[in-house]
């Protein structure tokens, strides 16, 4: 990823860059999870998203609203904003999402997609209060509509922001509440895998060694029942991190190697780079 203060005209403090970089690896799963299921109404996909199919990137398909030309034009802009975001062009993506939200005719679906995109732009550039506000607005709208699927997705993103900001206890509260909601909604494998990964990461940073390993193992088992390569890779990376923090780096190596192969298969550049750094010095 290009340094934000060099590549995008944005300026972060050293602490802001540290927190951003600390959070971004986990965000790879959170972001994909959001893209995977945010367009669905009350159901979950099988690896399909506007970014990836079966864990591999593909040309972004058109997201259609089934309405008029103006609606489809706005959806085209939202897609373009997400593509720019995944290319680390955060300021450009932010501008697009703000423009969409300023449109008087924006509908609920477009509002949620654009507001979520804006939240990611804020989170990735260290503006955590602004990111929280966007995702909380998405959650409030879901609560108003009594849409439990949309509510737990928004709650997941709030937890992601808290983790990126280094507020581990606030993140824990979000992910634990989300876990209860996932159970009420049927324990779908992708949702379980992503939530358990986040719980494992939070527990590890809080020093809860036993709980952390249990969460990462739950994440791996659930991810392996999906066709999502990145979810499986993240679970292996998490287990590797757990071993590195407890048993030693040699015990972590097999998990990191599996994660590396999966990230490579998924063409996830950021995931590959993170695991390569971990593997340095394990030979």
């Amino acid at each position: 990823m290009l340094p934000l203060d060099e590549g995008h005209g944005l300026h972060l403090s050293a602490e802001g860059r540290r927190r951003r970089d600390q959070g971004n690896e986990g965000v790879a799963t959170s972001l994909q999870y959001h893209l995977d299921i945010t367009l669905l109404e009350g159901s979950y996909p099988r690896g399909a998203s506007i970014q990836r199919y079966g864990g591999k990137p593909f040309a972004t398909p058109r997201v259609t609203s089934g309405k008029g030309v103006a609606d489809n034009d706005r959806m085209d802009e939202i897609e373009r904003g997400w593509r720019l975001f995944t290319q680390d062009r955060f300021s450009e993506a932010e501008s697009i999402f703000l423009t969409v939200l300023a449109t008087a005719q924006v509908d609920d679906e477009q509002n949620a997609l654009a507001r979520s995109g804006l939240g990611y732009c804020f989170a990735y550039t260290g503006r955590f209060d602004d990111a929280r506000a966007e995702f909380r607005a998405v959650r409030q709208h879901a609560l108003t509509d009594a849409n439990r699927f949309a509510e737990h997705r928004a709650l997941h993103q709030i937890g992601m922001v808290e983790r990126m900001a280094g507020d581990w206890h606030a993140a824990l509260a979000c992910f634990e509440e989300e876990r209860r909601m996932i159970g009420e909604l049927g324990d779908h494998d992708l949702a379980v895998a992503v939530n358990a990964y986040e719980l494992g990461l939070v527990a590890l940073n809080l020093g809860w060694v036993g709980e952390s390993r249990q969460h990462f193992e739950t994440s791996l088992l659930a991810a392996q029942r999906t066709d999502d390569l990145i979810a499986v890779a993240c679970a292996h990376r998490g287990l590797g991190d757990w071993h590195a923090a407890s048993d030693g780096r040699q015990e972590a190596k097999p998990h990191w190697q599996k994660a590396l192969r999966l990230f490579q298969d998924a063409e996830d550049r950021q995931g590959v780079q993170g695991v390569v750094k971990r593997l340095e010095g394990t030979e």
Side-chain angles (χ1 to χ4, degrees):
M1 175 177 294
L2 291 172
L4 298 185
D5 51 344
E6 296 176 7
H8 304 281
L10 301 169
H11 300 278
L12 298 181
S13 66
E15 176 66 9
R17 287 194 296 273
R18 183 192 68 77
R19 288 182 175 179
R20 178 205 68 204
D21 294 340
Q22 179 187 55
N24 280 354
E25 288 188 329
V27 169
T29 296
S30 294
L31 171 62
Q32 189 56 51
Y33 175 52
H34 174 81
L35 294 178
D36 274 344
I37 66 180
T38 192
L39 302 181
L40 302 181
E41 296 179 357
S43 61
Y44 289 79
R46 294 186 55 78
S49 74
I50 65 170
Q51 184 185 11
R52 206 174 76 236
Y53 183 79
K56 290 190 176 183
F58 72 118
T60 304
R62 181 180 180 82
V63 180
T64 58
S65 66
K67 300 180 181 179
V69 173
D71 290 281
N72 288 332
D73 286 346
R74 281 192 291 274
M75 294 303 277
D76 283 341
E77 282 298 283
I78 291 169
E79 290 176 22
R80 189 163 71 92
W82 279 111
R83 280 197 297 272
L84 289 168
F85 176 86
T86 61
Q87 296 166 9
D88 302 341
R89 296 163 65 180
F90 304 119
S91 60
E92 295 171 75
E94 178 181 333
S95 178
I96 288 173
F97 293 135
L98 285 169
T99 299
V100 170
L101 290 170
T103 304
Q105 296 82 10
V106 64
D107 64 23
D108 289 345
E109 177 189 20
Q110 296 161 358
N111 183 282
L113 286 169
R115 198 170 289 282
S116 295
L118 189 60
Y120 274 108
C121 290
F122 289 151
Y124 263 58
T125 52
R127 290 171 287 172
F128 300 121
D129 286 341
D130 291 333
R132 290 184 185 97
E134 296 302 326
F135 290 124
R136 284 171 179 165
V138 174
R139 186 187 185 192
Q140 183 57 49
H141 190 275
L143 284 166
T144 301
D145 286 351
N147 186 333
R148 295 279 282 171
F149 285 89
E151 183 189 351
H152 102 71
R153 294 195 297 266
L155 181 60
H156 183 92
Q157 309 313 323
I158 296 169
M160 171 202 76
V161 174
E162 300 296 359
R163 171 173 52 71
M164 292 180 72
D167 193 337
W168 299 104
H169 288 283
L172 177 67
C174 289
F175 293 129
E176 285 185 334
E177 183 179 355
E178 186 204 15
R179 180 66 191 92
R180 291 190 291 271
M181 294 181 68
I182 289 170
E184 294 168 3
L185 292 169
D187 279 331
H188 295 272
D189 288 329
L190 181 59
V192 171
V194 175
N195 172 264
Y197 173 82
E198 293 284 356
L199 284 169
L201 188 60
V202 170
L204 187 63
N205 279 274
L206 288 173
W208 301 346
V209 178
E211 292 91 335
S212 177
R213 179 168 186 170
Q214 182 177 358
H215 288 311
F216 285 136
E217 288 177 343
T218 297
S219 178
L220 180 59
L221 288 173
Q224 287 173 333
R225 293 193 293 267
T226 75
D227 57 4
D228 194 300
L229 301 182
I230 290 179
V232 180
C234 286
H236 276 297
R237 182 180 62 195
L239 282 167
D241 291 349
W242 181 89
H243 280 289
S246 53
D247 301 336
R249 296 179 67 82
Q250 285 304 317
E251 289 75 13
K253 185 176 179 180
H255 286 290
W256 286 339
Q257 289 173 329
K258 290 177 182 178
L260 178 60
R261 288 193 294 271
L262 288 162
F263 281 130
Q264 289 170 335
D265 289 344
E267 300 176 30
D268 186 321
R269 172 179 53 85
Q270 185 175 315
V272 168
Q273 291 173 348
V275 176
V276 167
K277 288 180 180 178
R278 286 167 168 81
L279 286 167
E280 291 175 354
T282 62
E283 299 298 333

